Amino acid sequence: MATPHAEPELSGRRILICRPEPEASRLASRFRAAGADVRILPLIDREPLPETPERRTLILCLDEYAHVIAVSPFAARLLLDEVDSWWPQIPMGIRWYGVGAGTAAVFAEHGLSPQKPPEGWTSEALLALPSLNDFQGERVLLASGENGRELIRETLEARGARVTLLPLYRRFCPEYSPEQIQETLETFAPEAIVTLSGETLNNLIALSANSSHNLYDRLLIVPADRVAEQARKAGFRNPCIPGSLADNDIVATVAMQLDGRDGGSGKAK
């Protein structure tokens, strides 16, 4: 368990976390335990989509699917809640997958044995799994948010799978007053910003467009090469990918990068 002096090099450092809740507050507690001054400004929020007869039918036909994939821990939790509502026992013979360790952990806590990428936490890493390499018309259920990336569906269909999308929630950017934005971006003036999705980064760029910030030279924590490239194109000079998206790894990466040290679990991109 982390102690207040576990990461003394973060003492007084100003960290802005743009994750949704409750993940933002959980990560903030880790940074504060390391001595950092933290602000939370979620730039993605999520709400479950209302149930429809079509979605209920998909859940009732769960036993017809050979593979079930969840793209996020939130998607996995919502899916399991619905499965529990309609199935007294989860059907046997299904292969479960999580895009990353956090998503797989939600399935594992439910007594399932999910597969996850041995390294990485992206759609690309998941698609490298041998069990997702070749299909003979097998059915795949893909639990996700509304209007997400199409890479998994398109790739699996090209490999012979019959993919059914199951959107369970929608993402949106919360509204903030000009005073809130000024206080967070200009007055607080973060030294490091945690933006763990491309959509979060886009919302940060849009939100800060009319402020007099100078965020482009700050440390920007991003989840993958794709988002690092997106950040560079937007003008950010210091995007960095942590060794994993676990809270401890994110904190350790920020500490190393702000201290100006090389190596460790973080890699500047």
Side-chain angles (χ1 to χ4, degrees):
M1 182 177 179
T3 67
H5 301 292
E7 301 284 354
E9 65 271 22
L10 279 176
S11 180
R13 296 287 199 170
R14 300 183 307 280
I15 312 299
L16 175 61
I17 299 174
C18 298
R19 302 187 76 180
E21 293 286 16
E23 294 88 349
S25 290
R26 189 189 67 212
L27 179 59
S29 69
R30 297 286 187 178
F31 273 111
R32 289 180 179 128
D37 186 4
V38 183
R39 296 287 188 278
I40 294 173
L41 189 76
L43 294 182
I44 288 284
D45 205 349
R46 304 163 300 198
E47 64 178 11
L49 293 170
E51 186 184 57
T52 63
E54 293 78 14
R55 195 168 86 196
R56 190 181 312 124
T57 298
L58 286 180
I59 298 297
L60 290 172
C61 295
L62 183 65
D63 56 341
E64 298 178 8
Y65 291 89
H67 309 264
V68 175
I69 301 170
V71 303
S72 69
F74 194 62
R77 285 192 292 269
L78 291 176
L79 174 61
L80 290 174
D81 286 346
E82 296 217 13
V83 171
D84 284 344
S85 296
W86 297 102
W87 287 88
Q89 183 174 344
I90 294 179
M92 303 291 290
I94 299 173
R95 289 185 172 184
W96 299 81
Y97 302 82
V99 179
T103 306
V106 175
F107 285 146
E109 290 165 4
H110 212 74
L112 302 170
S113 300
Q115 297 186 51
K116 65 180 187 300
E119 295 183 1
W121 48 89
T122 63
S123 299
E124 290 84 353
L126 179 81
L127 291 167
L129 288 172
S131 57
L132 293 177
N133 190 50
D134 186 40
F135 297 86
Q136 302 297 323
E138 294 172 74
R139 300 188 68 181
V140 178
L141 186 64
L142 179 58
S144 66
E146 199 174 47
N147 301 320
R149 291 182 74 196
E150 291 288 324
L151 180 65
I152 293 177
R153 180 186 65 81
E154 292 173 351
T155 303
L156 295 185
E157 287 180 345
R159 294 174 180 177
R162 291 184 293 154
V163 180
T164 300
L165 297 179
L166 180 60
L168 293 170
Y169 60 95
R170 76 176 187 95
R171 297 177 298 273
F172 60 95
C173 183
E175 293 186 3
Y176 296 103
S177 68
E179 293 76 17
Q180 287 174 300
I181 297 170
Q182 178 178 350
E183 195 284 328
T184 303
L185 301 185
E186 299 177 43
T187 305
F188 179 63
E191 298 172 82
I193 307 170
V194 180
T195 59
L196 296 184
S197 74
E199 189 172 355
T200 301
L201 176 60
N202 281 336
N203 289 343
L204 175 66
I205 294 167
L207 194 72
S208 61
N210 296 321
S211 68
S212 59
H213 71 88
N214 184 23
L215 301 180
Y216 293 111
D217 61 347
R218 310 300 164 84
L219 176 65
L220 186 73
I221 300 299
V222 297
D225 289 327
R226 173 179 59 87
V227 184
E229 180 60 24
Q230 177 183 334
R232 283 192 293 271
K233 287 181 178 178
F236 289 90
R237 292 185 283 278
N238 297 301
C240 177
I241 303 170
S244 82
L245 298 188
D247 292 346
N248 287 341
D249 242 348
I250 293 171
V251 173
T253 297
V254 170
M256 286 183 230
Q257 295 295 326
L258 290 183
D259 253 7
R261 296 200 297 258
D262 296 325
S265 62
K267 52 178 180 177
K269 296 300 293 184

Short mmCIF file of all heavy atoms in Angstrom, two decimals, residues 82-112:
data_model
loop_
_atom_site.label_atom_id
_atom_site.label_comp_id
_atom_site.label_asym_id
_atom_site.label_seq_id
_atom_site.Cartn_x
_atom_site.Cartn_y
_atom_site.Cartn_z
N GLU A 82 -26.33 -6.89 -16.99
CA GLU A 82 -27.46 -7.33 -17.81
C GLU A 82 -27.52 -8.85 -17.91
O GLU A 82 -28.60 -9.44 -17.87
CB GLU A 82 -27.37 -6.71 -19.20
CG GLU A 82 -27.49 -5.20 -19.19
CD GLU A 82 -28.26 -4.67 -20.37
OE1 GLU A 82 -28.92 -5.46 -21.08
OE2 GLU A 82 -28.21 -3.45 -20.59
N VAL A 83 -26.37 -9.48 -18.02
CA VAL A 83 -26.34 -10.94 -18.08
C VAL A 83 -26.92 -11.53 -16.79
O VAL A 83 -27.72 -12.47 -16.80
CB VAL A 83 -24.91 -11.45 -18.32
CG1 VAL A 83 -24.84 -12.97 -18.15
CG2 VAL A 83 -24.43 -11.06 -19.72
N ASP A 84 -26.54 -10.95 -15.65
CA ASP A 84 -27.05 -11.43 -14.37
C ASP A 84 -28.57 -11.28 -14.26
O ASP A 84 -29.24 -12.05 -13.56
CB ASP A 84 -26.39 -10.68 -13.21
CG ASP A 84 -24.97 -11.16 -12.95
OD1 ASP A 84 -24.60 -12.24 -13.44
OD2 ASP A 84 -24.21 -10.44 -12.27
N SER A 85 -29.11 -10.27 -14.95
CA SER A 85 -30.56 -10.04 -14.88
C SER A 85 -31.35 -11.10 -15.63
O SER A 85 -32.50 -11.38 -15.29
CB SER A 85 -30.90 -8.66 -15.46
OG SER A 85 -30.32 -7.63 -14.69
N TRP A 86 -30.74 -11.69 -16.65
CA TRP A 86 -31.49 -12.58 -17.52
C TRP A 86 -31.00 -14.03 -17.51
O TRP A 86 -31.71 -14.92 -18.00
CB TRP A 86 -31.47 -12.04 -18.95
CG TRP A 86 -32.15 -10.72 -19.07
CD1 TRP A 86 -31.57 -9.49 -19.15
CD2 TRP A 86 -33.56 -10.48 -19.07
NE1 TRP A 86 -32.51 -8.49 -19.22
CE2 TRP A 86 -33.76 -9.07 -19.17
CE3 TRP A 86 -34.69 -11.31 -19.01
CZ2 TRP A 86 -35.02 -8.50 -19.21
CZ3 TRP A 86 -35.95 -10.72 -19.05
CH2 TRP A 86 -36.10 -9.34 -19.14
N TRP A 87 -29.81 -14.27 -17.01
CA TRP A 87 -29.26 -15.62 -16.99
C TRP A 87 -28.96 -16.03 -15.54
O TRP A 87 -28.11 -15.41 -14.90
CB TRP A 87 -27.96 -15.69 -17.80
CG TRP A 87 -28.17 -15.62 -19.29
CD1 TRP A 87 -28.24 -14.51 -20.06
CD2 TRP A 87 -28.33 -16.73 -20.18
NE1 TRP A 87 -28.43 -14.82 -21.37
CE2 TRP A 87 -28.48 -16.20 -21.48
CE3 TRP A 87 -28.35 -18.12 -20.02
CZ2 TRP A 87 -28.67 -17.00 -22.61
CZ3 TRP A 87 -28.53 -18.92 -21.14
CH2 TRP A 87 -28.69 -18.36 -22.41
N PRO A 88 -29.64 -17.05 -15.03
CA PRO A 88 -29.32 -17.51 -13.68
C PRO A 88 -27.90 -18.07 -13.57
O PRO A 88 -27.29 -18.04 -12.51
CB PRO A 88 -30.36 -18.61 -13.41
CG PRO A 88 -30.84 -19.02 -14.76
CD PRO A 88 -30.74 -17.81 -15.63
N GLN A 89 -27.38 -18.54 -14.71
CA GLN A 89 -26.00 -19.02 -14.78
C GLN A 89 -25.45 -18.64 -16.14
O GLN A 89 -26.12 -18.81 -17.16
CB GLN A 89 -25.94 -20.53 -14.57
CG GLN A 89 -24.52 -21.09 -14.55
CD GLN A 89 -24.50 -22.58 -14.20
OE1 GLN A 89 -25.48 -23.11 -13.70
NE2 GLN A 89 -23.38 -23.22 -14.47
N ILE A 90 -24.24 -18.11 -16.17
CA ILE A 90 -23.64 -17.70 -17.45
C ILE A 90 -23.42 -18.92 -18.33
O ILE A 90 -22.91 -19.95 -17.86
CB ILE A 90 -22.31 -16.97 -17.20
CG1 ILE A 90 -22.57 -15.65 -16.47
CG2 ILE A 90 -21.59 -16.69 -18.52
CD1 ILE A 90 -21.33 -14.86 -16.16
N PRO A 91 -23.82 -18.86 -19.59
CA PRO A 91 -23.65 -20.01 -20.48
C PRO A 91 -22.19 -20.46 -20.57
O PRO A 91 -21.27 -19.65 -20.53
CB PRO A 91 -24.14 -19.48 -21.84
CG PRO A 91 -25.02 -18.33 -21.52
CD PRO A 91 -24.47 -17.72 -20.27
N MET A 92 -22.02 -21.74 -20.71
CA MET A 92 -20.68 -22.33 -20.82
C MET A 92 -20.19 -22.22 -22.26
O MET A 92 -20.96 -22.06 -23.19
CB MET A 92 -20.71 -23.80 -20.38
CG MET A 92 -21.23 -24.01 -18.97
SD MET A 92 -20.09 -23.39 -17.72
CE MET A 92 -18.76 -24.60 -17.89
N GLY A 93 -18.89 -22.35 -22.44
CA GLY A 93 -18.30 -22.46 -23.76
C GLY A 93 -18.00 -21.15 -24.45
O GLY A 93 -17.55 -21.15 -25.60
N ILE A 94 -18.23 -20.03 -23.78
CA ILE A 94 -17.93 -18.73 -24.37
C ILE A 94 -16.51 -18.31 -24.00
O ILE A 94 -16.09 -18.48 -22.86
CB ILE A 94 -18.94 -17.66 -23.88
CG1 ILE A 94 -20.36 -18.03 -24.28
CG2 ILE A 94 -18.57 -16.28 -24.42
CD1 ILE A 94 -21.43 -17.11 -23.69
N ARG A 95 -15.80 -17.77 -24.96
CA ARG A 95 -14.49 -17.17 -24.67
C ARG A 95 -14.68 -15.68 -24.40
O ARG A 95 -15.27 -14.96 -25.21
CB ARG A 95 -13.54 -17.37 -25.85
CG ARG A 95 -13.08 -18.81 -26.04
CD ARG A 95 -12.05 -18.90 -27.15
NE ARG A 95 -11.46 -20.23 -27.24
CZ ARG A 95 -10.48 -20.56 -28.07
NH1 ARG A 95 -9.98 -19.65 -28.90
NH2 ARG A 95 -10.00 -21.78 -28.09
N TRP A 96 -14.18 -15.23 -23.27
CA TRP A 96 -14.34 -13.85 -22.85
C TRP A 96 -13.02 -13.10 -23.02
O TRP A 96 -11.95 -13.65 -22.75
CB TRP A 96 -14.79 -13.78 -21.39
CG TRP A 96 -16.11 -14.45 -21.15
CD1 TRP A 96 -16.33 -15.79 -20.99
CD2 TRP A 96 -17.39 -13.82 -21.07
NE1 TRP A 96 -17.67 -16.04 -20.82
CE2 TRP A 96 -18.35 -14.85 -20.86
CE3 TRP A 96 -17.82 -12.50 -21.15
CZ2 TRP A 96 -19.70 -14.58 -20.73
CZ3 TRP A 96 -19.18 -12.23 -21.02
CH2 TRP A 96 -20.10 -13.25 -20.82
N TYR A 97 -13.11 -11.83 -23.43
CA TYR A 97 -11.91 -11.04 -23.70
C TYR A 97 -12.06 -9.63 -23.12
O TYR A 97 -13.14 -9.03 -23.19
CB TYR A 97 -11.67 -10.88 -25.21
CG TYR A 97 -11.53 -12.17 -25.97
CD1 TYR A 97 -12.65 -12.88 -26.38
CD2 TYR A 97 -10.26 -12.68 -26.29
CE1 TYR A 97 -12.53 -14.06 -27.09
CE2 TYR A 97 -10.14 -13.86 -27.01
CZ TYR A 97 -11.28 -14.55 -27.40
OH TYR A 97 -11.16 -15.72 -28.10
N GLY A 98 -10.97 -9.12 -22.61
CA GLY A 98 -10.92 -7.73 -22.18
C GLY A 98 -9.81 -7.01 -22.90
O GLY A 98 -8.70 -7.54 -23.06
N VAL A 99 -10.10 -5.78 -23.38
CA VAL A 99 -9.07 -4.96 -24.00
C VAL A 99 -8.26 -4.34 -22.86
O VAL A 99 -8.56 -3.26 -22.39
CB VAL A 99 -9.67 -3.87 -24.90
CG1 VAL A 99 -8.56 -3.02 -25.51
CG2 VAL A 99 -10.52 -4.49 -25.98
N GLY A 100 -7.26 -5.05 -22.39
CA GLY A 100 -6.45 -4.58 -21.28
C GLY A 100 -6.75 -5.31 -19.99
O GLY A 100 -7.80 -5.93 -19.82
N ALA A 101 -5.82 -5.20 -19.06
CA ALA A 101 -5.91 -5.94 -17.80
C ALA A 101 -7.08 -5.48 -16.94
O ALA A 101 -7.72 -6.29 -16.27
CB ALA A 101 -4.60 -5.78 -17.02
N GLY A 102 -7.38 -4.16 -16.94
CA GLY A 102 -8.47 -3.67 -16.12
C GLY A 102 -9.81 -4.24 -16.54
O GLY A 102 -10.63 -4.62 -15.69
N THR A 103 -10.05 -4.33 -17.84
CA THR A 103 -11.30 -4.90 -18.33
C THR A 103 -11.37 -6.39 -18.05
O THR A 103 -12.41 -6.90 -17.61
CB THR A 103 -11.42 -4.63 -19.85
OG1 THR A 103 -11.27 -3.24 -20.09
CG2 THR A 103 -12.77 -5.09 -20.36
N ALA A 104 -10.27 -7.08 -18.29
CA ALA A 104 -10.24 -8.52 -18.00
C ALA A 104 -10.48 -8.79 -16.51
O ALA A 104 -11.13 -9.78 -16.14
CB ALA A 104 -8.91 -9.11 -18.44
N ALA A 105 -9.99 -7.91 -15.65
CA ALA A 105 -10.15 -8.09 -14.20
C ALA A 105 -11.63 -8.06 -13.81
O ALA A 105 -12.05 -8.78 -12.89
CB ALA A 105 -9.38 -7.04 -13.44
N VAL A 106 -12.44 -7.25 -14.49
CA VAL A 106 -13.87 -7.20 -14.19
C VAL A 106 -14.51 -8.55 -14.48
O VAL A 106 -15.31 -9.07 -13.68
CB VAL A 106 -14.55 -6.09 -15.01
CG1 VAL A 106 -16.07 -6.11 -14.80
CG2 VAL A 106 -14.00 -4.72 -14.63
N PHE A 107 -14.15 -9.16 -15.60
CA PHE A 107 -14.66 -10.50 -15.91
C PHE A 107 -14.16 -11.52 -14.90
O PHE A 107 -14.91 -12.40 -14.45
CB PHE A 107 -14.25 -10.90 -17.33
CG PHE A 107 -15.02 -10.22 -18.43
CD1 PHE A 107 -14.41 -9.90 -19.62
CD2 PHE A 107 -16.36 -9.90 -18.27
CE1 PHE A 107 -15.12 -9.28 -20.65
CE2 PHE A 107 -17.08 -9.28 -19.29
CZ PHE A 107 -16.46 -8.97 -20.48
N ALA A 108 -12.89 -11.44 -14.56
CA ALA A 108 -12.30 -12.40 -13.62
C ALA A 108 -12.98 -12.33 -12.25
O ALA A 108 -13.20 -13.36 -11.61
CB ALA A 108 -10.80 -12.17 -13.50
N GLU A 109 -13.31 -11.13 -11.81
CA GLU A 109 -13.99 -10.97 -10.53
C GLU A 109 -15.37 -11.62 -10.54
O GLU A 109 -15.92 -11.93 -9.48
CB GLU A 109 -14.13 -9.48 -10.20
CG GLU A 109 -12.80 -8.81 -9.85
CD GLU A 109 -12.89 -7.29 -9.88
OE1 GLU A 109 -14.02 -6.77 -10.08
OE2 GLU A 109 -11.85 -6.63 -9.70
N HIS A 110 -15.89 -11.84 -11.73
CA HIS A 110 -17.20 -12.48 -11.88
C HIS A 110 -17.09 -14.00 -12.03
O HIS A 110 -18.08 -14.67 -12.32
CB HIS A 110 -17.90 -11.89 -13.10
CG HIS A 110 -19.40 -11.83 -12.98
ND1 HIS A 110 -20.06 -10.93 -12.18
CD2 HIS A 110 -20.38 -12.58 -13.57
CE1 HIS A 110 -21.36 -11.12 -12.28
NE2 HIS A 110 -21.59 -12.11 -13.12
N GLY A 111 -15.88 -14.52 -11.86
CA GLY A 111 -15.67 -15.96 -11.95
C GLY A 111 -15.38 -16.47 -13.34
O GLY A 111 -15.31 -17.70 -13.54
N LEU A 112 -15.17 -15.57 -14.29
CA LEU A 112 -14.85 -15.98 -15.66
C LEU A 112 -13.33 -16.07 -15.82
O LEU A 112 -12.58 -15.64 -14.96
CB LEU A 112 -15.45 -14.99 -16.65
CG LEU A 112 -16.97 -14.82 -16.55
CD1 LEU A 112 -17.44 -13.65 -17.40
CD2 LEU A 112 -17.67 -16.11 -16.98
#
